[in-house]
Amino acid sequence: MTDEIFHSIFPRPEMVPAAYAITSPLQQGRYLCDGEIRTWSGPHQDVLSPVHETILDTIQPKLIGSYPLLTEEQALEALDAACRAYDHGRGAWPTMGVEERIKHVEAFAFRMQEEREHVVKLLMWEIGKSLPDAGKEFDRTIDYIRDTIDALKDLDRVSSRFVIEQDVIAQIRRAPLGVVLCMGPFNYPLNETFTTLIPALIMGNAVIFKPPKLGVLLHQPLLEAFRDSFPRGVINTINGEGQKVIGPLMKSGRIDVLAFIGSSRVADSLKKQHPRPHRLRGVLGLEAKNAAIILQDADLDHAVQECVLGALSYNGQRCTALKMLFVHEKIADTFIAKFSEAVDKLQIGMPWDDKVQITPLPEPNKTGYLTQLIDDARSKGARVVNQKGGRVHHTIMSPAVVYPVGPGMRLYTEEQFGPVVPIAAFADIEEPMNYVTQSDYGQQVSLFGTDPEIIADLIDPLVNQVCRVNINSQCQRGPDTFPFTGRKDSAEGTLSVSDALRAFTIRTLVAAKETDTNRRIIKSIITERRSRFLSTDFIF
Ligand code: G3H
């Protein structure tokens, strides 16, 4: 019998609001290579939504579409196309002026915006993201593109000056690196892919882009916009199984930058396949196990509110999610009671339901995996402390608060990436501090407390363990102009609107000893506007 909290949760097809219904599956069947959208007649992968439907009293996964399962051959064609477009840095795109490249990206953003409704709907069906969060993901991506354009204009304005040092005159700019392979994660399939793809493109690189395993179809509405907005071969898409299509690209040695958001295990295996690893630059966003430390004097209501958001927004499927809470033992009972109550109030439902917070999980058998983590903790002395916690109905799990979680339990160290919140009580601040220090991950931490002296004492050692210390605030990536990175197994390189422009480029300069001849040559090049690199043109 269905648990009452899941009663009638998966809708009958006619109950899905018309604006969000998928009436016929989206058979993608196409991919973008060398400036043309090619039709694929080979095998396809069906896409089943985690958002199930009730049909004649049975709950069934809904088929929402399919995408091409390309092979090594098409992957290498995409690589050839990107290499041709880049042409060892001599292609039209890498040598194009910045202002001109910006126009292409603006044209793309304009076309992309027309597809908002389509993409948001697919985000809900493919990865179970709630309607407001899916809308936010789309809008945040458009803002990211605009901010990137503004940041590039600033960067270019600064670089349009000459530097004279020790009788050498130079102009220093940032130049592209080559062919970039961009792969984003399933939890932000649009946003996190575009936070690498857009800066890589705008800086003059050629890109091959593979959507994540989940969150593929939502890229289909953008294929034509990509084709029409960029010169041939500058952007190419590939679909298919990672091992078949990505392995050959890495082994070719012709990928110059790997921009990958996912697990460190996959990142390592991809990097190892490159025959000349010193030529490969990595821009990696990897896993994390961010801790919250709730001190004895914390404002509990506020800490509860931030920790619920931090641990359970989008079902806890964020790399920045709070994945382990440490609460001072003197306030542990009160905190846990308040936290559990707040968690049990979260609304479970379909992505388009009003005020929904907990939605179906897209990864295959994710509820089974999370149940194993909870069972492991239970077998070692922890329990699920919230009334409704850990109940499973097909692809949905009601969020579970597990306490007391300690060393030796999988939940203590493993990144759960789902709606399970492990809590430990501490007597000595060294316990959570050691946890953070010993962790394999080093992304962020949240501190909850009110005494500036105690907080200051913790900040100084913590900033050498992680890359962002949040005070009385959940962990998060935004604002996107802030540096987003991590230590240890959590990241390689830094992303932010301006850092990403640097990540996909290398500083390059034209320099000359200050002689009359050289002055004359440089002056002539500039006044006659003979070079796009050596130029004092100013972008307004
Ligand atoms: O999954 C990792 C994302 O970068 C987190 O971004 O903190 O804005 O949700 P967010």
Side-chain angles (χ1 to χ4, degrees):
M1 214 179 79
T2 309
D3 194 315
E4 33 129 35
I5 62 170
F6 300 120
H7 186 66
S8 299
I9 208 152
F10 289 115
R12 292 195 305 277
E14 64 275 18
M15 303 298 285
V16 176
Y20 313 127
I22 292 188
T23 42
S24 56
L26 177 75
Q27 313 296 2
Q28 182 176 318
R30 300 179 319 152
Y31 62 102
L32 175 63
C33 181
D34 205 15
E36 55 187 35
I37 293 179
R38 297 187 178 170
T39 305
W40 173 244
S41 51
H44 282 71
Q45 173 67 53
D46 280 345
V47 180
L48 294 173
S49 173
V51 180
H52 291 186
E53 281 186 335
T54 304
I55 296 179
L56 300 174
D57 289 338
T58 56
I59 293 169
Q60 301 175 6
K62 183 177 168 68
L63 177 72
I64 54 169
S66 67
Y67 61 81
L69 284 172
L70 304 180
T71 67
E72 176 171 351
E73 191 185 333
Q74 293 75 43
L76 293 176
E77 278 169 12
L79 179 63
D80 284 342
C83 290
R84 267 197 306 276
Y86 190 69
D87 191 17
H88 305 277
R90 300 174 67 178
W93 184 248
T95 53
M96 192 177 279
V98 168
E99 210 165 356
E100 202 50 28
R101 279 206 301 262
I102 287 176
K103 281 190 195 139
H104 286 270
V105 174
E106 279 172 341
F108 173 74
F110 183 79
R111 290 279 301 274
M112 177 175 165
Q113 206 138 19
E114 293 171 352
E115 301 296 338
R116 184 181 191 278
E117 215 178 298
H118 212 159
V119 174
V120 166
K121 179 157 98 177
L122 286 165
L123 275 167
M124 291 194 283
W125 281 99
E126 276 195 277
I127 59 159
K129 193 164 267 199
S130 72
L131 176 60
D133 283 352
K136 250 186 258 162
E137 176 164 353
F138 189 93
D139 298 338
R140 179 180 178 179
T141 308
I142 293 282
D143 288 346
Y144 195 95
I145 298 176
R146 295 216 174 99
D147 290 347
T148 298
I149 291 171
D150 288 344
L152 177 54
K153 285 181 180 171
D154 280 347
L155 186 68
D156 197 74
R157 284 171 195 143
V158 173
S159 332
S160 62
R161 292 170 27 204
F162 277 83
V163 184
I164 303 173
E165 198 70 56
Q166 295 174 23
D167 301 327
V168 179
I169 180 163
Q171 188 171 37
I172 309 166
R173 287 185 182 275
R174 301 203 73 96
L177 292 164
V179 174
V180 180
L181 174 60
C182 287
M183 295 164 73
F186 85 81
N187 62 333
Y188 281 95
L190 181 77
N191 181 262
E192 291 227 305
T193 308
F194 278 43
T195 58
T196 59
L197 184 149
I198 293 294
L201 273 179
I202 208 166
M203 294 311 285
N205 300 283
V207 170
I208 300 170
F209 144 54
K210 180 187 174 296
K213 218 172 177 172
L214 308 161
V216 182
L217 301 175
L218 60 97
H219 294 285
Q220 138 92 25
L222 304 176
L223 282 190
E224 281 165 15
F226 272 130
R227 179 198 58 196
D228 300 344
S229 310
F230 294 100
R232 182 179 184 154
V234 164
I235 170 98
N236 308 275
T237 64
I238 45 171
N239 300 96
E241 286 169 40
Q243 277 188 343
K244 288 197 183 142
V245 293
I246 300 300
L249 296 182
M250 296 308 294
K251 284 184 197 143
S252 75
R254 293 156 81 199
I255 297 292
D256 302 297
V257 188
L258 172 66
F260 172 76
I261 320 280
S263 74
S264 54
R265 187 186 54 80
V266 174
D268 285 346
S269 91
L270 293 177
K271 284 173 93 171
K272 275 187 204 139
Q273 295 180 53
H274 197 289
R276 284 184 280 191
H278 57 274
R279 284 201 183 186
L280 180 71
R281 181 177 290 194
V283 179
L284 310 176
L286 307 171
E287 60 269 36
K289 182 88 177 168
N290 293 342
I293 304 175
I294 298 119
L295 301 164
Q296 200 179 337
D297 63 348
D299 171 342
L300 280 197
D301 290 329
H302 176 76
V304 164
Q305 195 189 329
E306 282 294 309
C307 288
V308 170
L309 264 181
L312 291 167
S313 307
Y314 185 39
N315 312 303
Q317 299 169 120
R318 294 161 58 230
C319 61
T320 47
L322 290 174
K323 296 187 181 116
M324 182 70 215
L325 310 188
F326 287 91
V327 190
H328 192 277
E329 61 176 12
K330 293 235 168 82
I331 50 155
D333 288 348
T334 322
F335 177 87
I336 290 166
K338 283 175 183 263
F339 185 76
S340 300
E341 194 189 331
V343 168
D344 278 343
K345 280 191 189 147
L346 295 176
Q347 193 173 317
I348 302 176
M350 295 300 102
W352 46 81
D353 287 347
D354 194 28
K355 301 198 174 71
V356 72
Q357 280 141 321
I358 299 298
T359 53
L361 306 170
E363 288 176 282
N365 197 26
K366 186 62 184 257
T367 54
Y369 165 74
L370 295 170
T371 304
Q372 276 176 21
L373 292 184
I374 296 173
D375 288 347
D376 169 75
R378 272 191 172 128
S379 72
K380 293 167 184 159
R383 59 194 185 87
V384 173
V385 292
N386 59 322
Q387 253 178 34
K388 299 183 187 169
R391 300 189 209 170
V392 170
H393 185 51
H394 298 266
T395 50
I396 303 186
M397 175 183 264
S398 60
V401 182
V402 187
Y403 174 78
V405 170
M409 298 181 194
R410 288 173 64 189
L411 265 178
Y412 194 65
T413 44
E414 218 166 294
E415 185 191 36
Q416 65 273 37
F417 216 78
V420 179
V421 191
I423 303 186
F426 68 90
D428 182 345
I429 190 66
E430 278 309 308
E431 294 169 42
M433 291 299 278
N434 283 335
Y435 177 87
V436 176
T437 312
Q438 302 305 326
S439 172
D440 277 339
Y441 309 113
Q443 193 194 62
Q444 300 189 18
V445 70
S446 287
L447 284 179
F448 292 90
T450 48
D451 184 336
E453 204 176 314
I454 299 177
I455 291 181
D457 278 352
L458 296 176
I459 287 176
D460 292 352
L462 281 172
V463 290
N464 294 343
Q465 308 305 322
V466 295
C467 288
R468 175 162 164 168
V469 176
N470 301 279
I471 298 172
N472 292 316
S473 314
Q474 62 155 319
C475 297
Q476 61 182 45
R477 174 177 178 150
D480 287 329
T481 44
F482 284 6
F484 177 57
T485 183
R487 298 167 185 272
K488 299 188 255 187
D489 292 349
S490 285
E492 181 178 333
T494 301
L495 287 175
S496 76
V497 168
S498 55
D499 284 301
L501 298 178
R502 291 173 174 79
F504 293 101
T505 50
I506 188 159
R507 296 231 290 168
T508 305
L509 56 146
V510 176
K513 288 192 176 160
E514 241 196 322
T515 60
D516 286 344
T517 314
N518 286 342
R519 264 200 223 101
R520 186 180 48 75
I521 293 171
I522 291 173
K523 198 168 174 191
S524 156
I525 292 174
I526 288 165
T527 46
E528 306 291 326
R529 291 210 167 112
R530 291 172 197 267
S531 162
R532 280 182 285 258
F533 187 101
L534 198 68
S535 152
T536 51
D537 279 358
F538 195 86
I539 306 180
F540 289 99

